[in-house]
Amino acid sequence: SCQACARGTFQPGLGYNTCINCPRGQYGTDPGATECELCAHGTYQSDVAQTSASACVACAPGQYQTQSGQERCTECTTGRYNMVTGSSQTDACRACTAGRFQAHLGSASCEMCDVGRYSTAGAFACIQCAAGQHGMTDRLGCSQCEAGRDTGSHGATSCELCDAGRQSVSGATECAQCPAGQHGEPDRMQCVLC
């Protein structure tokens, strides 16, 4: 006599004496099924022979799934993030805003660039400010050192006032010694004759 396939299994053909486990990404709620049901968009299911839609797990933040019946979710790429659980659209992964970055796949947030570095939107890494520049507090770019100040370091957070008897122009990487017969002004922007 014929027997109905158990929940979580199916048999699409006639005359078979075995049933097939519902594959990953699918489940079977009724006995005697000829096909399994698919987990919905935004979910996945990684085990076989599942018997309920509750076996389908929502994609975690940092992931999404655009198709039904899947065994895993897709991770957001570097430079992007997703804070929502159960996302079913690719555009759920948003680009990190300028001044932030994300170096890892499948992230739920972006990290702020360190002072002395900056980034554009969608960055997976921050860029160091060049010598003669210092980082801006918004991490959106770098500013040249003001005249009378310098920095020879890449990724500087500020520029240092030139020592007495030295001068510099805007964007200097090193303050210059005043020539013989001249002395530095208090603002260190220029040297004047004695």
Side-chain angles (χ1 to χ4, degrees):
S1 73
C2 295
Q3 292 183 332
C5 289
R7 293 174 64 221
T9 66
F10 72 107
Q11 181 49 257
L14 300 173
Y16 290 92
N17 62 359
T18 59
C19 297
I20 303 165
N21 286 334
C22 288
R24 293 175 176 90
Q26 300 181 25
Y27 60 94
T29 56
D30 300 320
T34 58
E35 63 184 9
C36 299
E37 298 176 59
L38 303 177
C39 289
H41 303 298
T43 68
Y44 74 101
Q45 195 280 106
S46 58
D47 295 318
V48 298
Q50 295 302 299
T51 60
S52 168
S54 64
C56 301
V57 180
C59 294
Q63 302 177 342
Y64 65 94
Q65 183 48 261
T66 60
Q67 300 176 346
S68 57
Q70 300 300 304
E71 64 179 279
R72 71 179 65 88
C73 295
T74 303
E75 293 181 312
C76 294
T77 58
T78 58
R80 302 184 85 73
Y81 72 102
N82 171 16
M83 299 186 307
V84 179
T85 300
S87 294
S88 60
Q89 301 296 321
T90 306
D91 61 6
C93 296
R94 299 175 185 258
C96 295
T97 57
R100 296 179 173 271
F101 74 103
Q102 184 45 258
H104 303 288
L105 296 171
S107 296
S109 63
C110 296
E111 298 175 44
M112 180 77 77
C113 293
D114 290 336
V115 177
R117 294 174 178 260
Y118 68 97
S119 74
T120 57
F124 64 88
C126 297
I127 301 164
Q128 276 189 337
C129 293
Q133 300 178 341
H134 66 89
M136 297 166 50
T137 55
D138 61 10
R139 278 63 163 200
L140 299 181
C142 303
S143 292
Q144 285 194 337
C145 292
E146 298 171 358
R149 296 178 173 270
D150 76 346
T151 180
S153 302
H154 292 274
T157 59
S158 64
C159 299
E160 301 296 322
L161 185 65
C162 295
D163 291 335
R166 299 179 77 82
Q167 67 172 344
S168 75
V169 295
S170 178
T173 59
E174 185 177 357
C175 295
Q177 182 72 42
C178 288
Q182 295 184 9
H183 68 88
E185 289 286 304
D187 62 10
R188 314 311 203 267
M189 289 190 216
Q190 62 183 351
C191 298
V192 294
L193 292 171
C194 296

